[in-house]
Amino acid sequence: MEEKKFDVNSLIGFILIGGILVWMLYMNGPSEEEIQAEKARTEAAAKEKEVEDQQNAETDVTLTEATEDLSAANTQDSLALEQLKNRLGSFAYSGTLPSATDATTVIENDVLSLTVSNKGGYITEARLKNHSTYDSIPVYLIKDGNSSLNLQFTSENRMLNSEDLYFEPSLSKNGENSVLTMRLKTSETAYIEYRYELSPSDYMLGFSIKSQGLENVVNTSQPMYLDWRLKGYRHAKSITYENRYSRLTYEYEDGDHSKLSPTGEDSEIETDVTWMNFRQHFFSSMLLTDTPFKEVTLTSRDLVEDEEIDTVFTKQYGAKMLLEPKGGSLAYDMNMYYGPTDYQIFKDYDRNLDEAMPLGWGIFGTINKYIIIPLFGFLSGFLPAGIAIIVLTILIKLALSPVQYKQYLSQAKMKVLRPELDAIREKYKDNKMKIQQETMKLQNVAGASPLKGCLPALLQIPVFYALFTFFPTAFDLRQKSFLWADDLSSYDTIAELPFHIPFYGDHVSLFPILASIAIFIYMMMTMGQSMQAAQQPGMPNMKFLMYLSPLFMLVFFNNYASGLSLYYLTSNLITIGIMLVIKNFILDEEKIRAKIQENKKKPKKQNRFQRKMAEMMEQAEQQKKAAKK
């Protein structure tokens, strides 16, 4: 049998033949120009076919074509739904509802208009219908994304945020009330619901959060938070003045009240919080709950750097509330308030909301709440705001006139005694302790003392401070004009400056100038006589004080509410008038001098305090003599 061997020559021949075939195919292939031409013909044919298909679809869509289109659409929807399920789990259902768009629903009454977005289910616009800003723009507390309300929870090992999910809206009526329910669904019977209910003529609306049928969907063993954030819009002419009274206040632990710092950044973690107010001076955004939040992280950041910078926002507020589901379900009944920071409105709700206003602590707040606010409310009910301020000031000064009479009487007695006091100082000029002893003895027998003049002045301080806190927060003064002032809640302007003066501003206000002049005249009348006496060591420089107070008023009150400056102007003019009446028609220095001389003849019994002081001074005198020996 013939043996088969590998033929190398045959292999080489096959390789050469294969190479020749490849070369021939390459040489016979289309050129680049031919390829481009064929491509153009193919595209033209495709366009013709597309036009023909469109025409056929418009005239005669067959059942087969419709079925194919439906099948393709279902395939795309299935893919999208699968992707949504991978990202949101059971809550992917909300992304397939007709509400899964950025549509909004408006709920409103005659004072308030609220816009609620399907995405997130929260209020994206809150407009006060009856109020405008200093430049005549409607007051918006919420607008253009300055606020958010986000429910953060865990579902199927995913951390979800409600602000990214779509709620289904339903608007209805409950009597005269408008009701809007927003449901974040996993099915038709399982959902998280936000419910808003707005009554006629009310800035307070009902707000509740509840869940249904989500016991096996939402992991309640993991923390759930309601995160509310808001940047406060500027509404006033002076942003620094408005910002001074913009502050986060809150109620916690069975009725205690507190607030965050009005400057810089501040935060606090509080327990059992029942309400919080993101106050913007004359307007408030509040959240109140019937079930206290177990823990709330409150934050505030000052956004105002300088009056010269045209800043849009005043403060950045935040409140992150820990929620406590019960039985696997959420159930929180709450309220929201978007409206004026007005004491009477707050008081009518009977929920301690007046504590959200800066009316002063202790006795100062008490005077405001029970005397000044009711009295001014009565007067402004039938008088223009400026006239109401003047009448209020007159009534208060008349009520305090007996105190002022005692103060001036004490000053008159000290004036009568001045020659004798000067003689004591001259006689014992080398012994300060003896001067004090003899001075006290003379004042005691004469029934005159500087302390008696100071006490009446101290009694007036609570009223003056209460008024100082009242006028900047009086909503009734907002945008009320008087004389040249177009808004008594802001500064008045008689001249604009082409530059900015630190602490003073870029304008000139007339009311502070007039008030400064009145204060200067008053201090001249009260301190002029004291300045005639020799300046005693350790005593304040009266001349310096006489110029300091008017200067302080002139500079720092240039940016304050003109209503406050009007009060100080009126108050000091009335005080000057009362002093002139007392001096010229009531008090007689000759009679006072005769009365003092008569008192000197009568034995004067020292009270316990005077005896103690005399004993202490006597002991000090003896120790001084012993030390010299």
Side-chain angles (χ1 to χ4, degrees), residues 88-255:
L88 302 178
S90 299
F91 284 92
Y93 179 81
S94 68
T96 65
L97 296 172
S99 60
T101 64
D102 292 332
T104 59
T105 305
V106 175
I107 178 173
E108 62 183 334
N109 57 22
D110 53 330
V111 297
L112 182 63
S113 175
L114 303 172
T115 301
V116 183
S117 174
N118 290 357
K119 187 176 182 181
Y122 62 88
I123 298 172
T124 56
E125 185 174 287
R127 176 173 59 89
L128 306 186
K129 294 185 175 181
N130 300 330
H131 302 285
S132 59
T133 64
Y134 70 100
D135 49 358
S136 302
I137 297 174
V139 169
Y140 287 91
L141 300 184
I142 299 176
K143 188 182 180 183
D144 297 335
N146 74 314
S147 179
S148 66
L149 186 72
N150 179 40
L151 181 63
Q152 190 178 71
F153 57 95
T154 302
S155 174
E156 301 171 1
N157 297 320
R158 300 173 179 85
M159 179 63 71
L160 299 181
N161 296 287
S162 65
E163 64 183 357
D164 300 326
L165 305 175
Y166 288 91
F167 288 65
E168 186 175 51
S170 176
L171 189 61
S172 61
K173 283 285 187 179
N174 181 15
E176 294 184 347
N177 298 352
S178 298
V179 178
L180 174 63
T181 57
M182 305 292 292
R183 289 182 176 177
L184 175 62
K185 295 182 175 182
T186 62
S187 70
E188 286 300 320
T189 58
Y191 51 82
I192 293 174
E193 180 184 270
Y194 292 170
R195 185 179 188 274
Y196 304 90
E197 183 169 353
L198 185 61
S199 303
S201 305
D202 201 348
Y203 294 104
M204 182 86 76
L205 65 147
F207 173 63
S208 63
I209 298 178
K210 73 174 184 178
S211 65
Q212 177 174 306
L214 299 179
E215 292 80 0
N216 299 321
V217 178
V218 175
N219 186 353
T220 56
S221 64
Q222 295 296 318
M224 298 181 67
Y225 293 98
L226 184 64
D227 193 2
W228 181 33
R229 299 188 179 277
L230 182 142
K231 285 201 296 185
Y233 275 114
R234 170 187 182 176
H235 298 126
K237 188 161 48 175
S238 171
I239 191 169
T240 54
Y241 183 69
E242 178 180 13
N243 196 42
R244 187 178 294 117
Y245 296 97
S246 296
R247 200 167 186 179
L248 193 158
T249 58
Y250 55 93
E251 181 180 75
Y252 68 109
E253 294 181 355
D254 297 326

Side-chain angles (χ1 to χ4, degrees), residues 130-400:
N130 300 330
H131 302 285
S132 59
T133 64
Y134 70 100
D135 49 358
S136 302
I137 297 174
V139 169
Y140 287 91
L141 300 184
I142 299 176
K143 188 182 180 183
D144 297 335
N146 74 314
S147 179
S148 66
L149 186 72
N150 179 40
L151 181 63
Q152 190 178 71
F153 57 95
T154 302
S155 174
E156 301 171 1
N157 297 320
R158 300 173 179 85
M159 179 63 71
L160 299 181
N161 296 287
S162 65
E163 64 183 357
D164 300 326
L165 305 175
Y166 288 91
F167 288 65
E168 186 175 51
S170 176
L171 189 61
S172 61
K173 283 285 187 179
N174 181 15
E176 294 184 347
N177 298 352
S178 298
V179 178
L180 174 63
T181 57
M182 305 292 292
R183 289 182 176 177
L184 175 62
K185 295 182 175 182
T186 62
S187 70
E188 286 300 320
T189 58
Y191 51 82
I192 293 174
E193 180 184 270
Y194 292 170
R195 185 179 188 274
Y196 304 90
E197 183 169 353
L198 185 61
S199 303
S201 305
D202 201 348
Y203 294 104
M204 182 86 76
L205 65 147
F207 173 63
S208 63
I209 298 178
K210 73 174 184 178
S211 65
Q212 177 174 306
L214 299 179
E215 292 80 0
N216 299 321
V217 178
V218 175
N219 186 353
T220 56
S221 64
Q222 295 296 318
M224 298 181 67
Y225 293 98
L226 184 64
D227 193 2
W228 181 33
R229 299 188 179 277
L230 182 142
K231 285 201 296 185
Y233 275 114
R234 170 187 182 176
H235 298 126
K237 188 161 48 175
S238 171
I239 191 169
T240 54
Y241 183 69
E242 178 180 13
N243 196 42
R244 187 178 294 117
Y245 296 97
S246 296
R247 200 167 186 179
L248 193 158
T249 58
Y250 55 93
E251 181 180 75
Y252 68 109
E253 294 181 355
D254 297 326
D256 289 337
H257 300 89
S258 190
K259 45 192 168 291
L260 298 187
S261 173
T263 59
E265 294 188 35
D266 194 14
S267 63
E268 198 71 56
I269 298 176
E270 297 290 4
T271 57
D272 296 328
V273 176
T274 49
W275 58 254
M276 62 214 74
N277 181 12
F278 295 170
R279 190 179 74 219
Q280 302 159 242
H281 195 186
F282 284 123
F283 299 98
S284 290
S285 302
M286 307 183 74
L287 181 65
L288 309 90
T289 177
D290 295 338
T291 303
F293 297 118
K294 180 180 180 180
E295 181 182 284
V296 180
T297 301
L298 300 156
T299 59
S300 175
R301 181 163 64 93
D302 190 1
L303 303 178
V304 178
E305 296 181 4
D306 195 291
E307 178 75 25
E308 296 181 80
I309 301 174
D310 188 17
T311 309
V312 177
F313 301 102
T314 56
K315 294 284 197 313
Q316 169 73 65
Y317 295 122
K320 191 171 185 178
M321 297 148 269
L322 178 63
L323 303 182
E324 294 182 290
K326 294 181 180 180
S329 299
L330 276 177
Y332 275 85
D333 290 325
M334 296 175 278
N335 292 95
M336 289 178 168
Y337 177 89
Y338 296 102
T341 308
D342 185 283
Y343 175 82
Q344 195 54 57
I345 294 177
F346 282 1
K347 191 68 176 175
D348 290 343
Y349 288 119
D350 195 25
R351 298 180 71 169
N352 297 325
L353 301 186
D354 53 290
E355 296 293 339
M357 297 187 64
L359 297 175
W361 54 272
I363 189 173
F364 310 117
T366 301
I367 292 172
N368 269 327
K369 292 177 182 179
Y370 298 105
I371 299 176
I372 295 175
I373 291 177
L375 181 56
F376 184 78
F378 169 75
L379 294 173
S380 60
F382 61 92
L383 293 174
I387 301 299
I389 291 175
I390 294 173
V391 175
L392 173 70
T393 310
I394 292 173
L395 294 176
I396 290 174
K397 296 302 293 185
L398 289 176
L400 294 174

Side-chain angles (χ1 to χ4, degrees), residues 134 234 237-240 306-310 490-509 554-560:
Y134 70 100
R234 170 187 182 176
K237 188 161 48 175
S238 171
I239 191 169
T240 54
D306 195 291
E307 178 75 25
E308 296 181 80
I309 301 174
D310 188 17
S490 185
Y491 57 79
D492 61 291
T493 304
I494 59 168
E496 297 284 354
L497 300 177
F499 47 82
H500 186 275
I501 302 174
F503 302 108
Y504 188 75
D506 57 1
H507 63 277
V508 178
S509 298
L554 181 66
V555 174
F556 289 98
F557 277 64
N558 192 60
N559 290 301
Y560 266 70

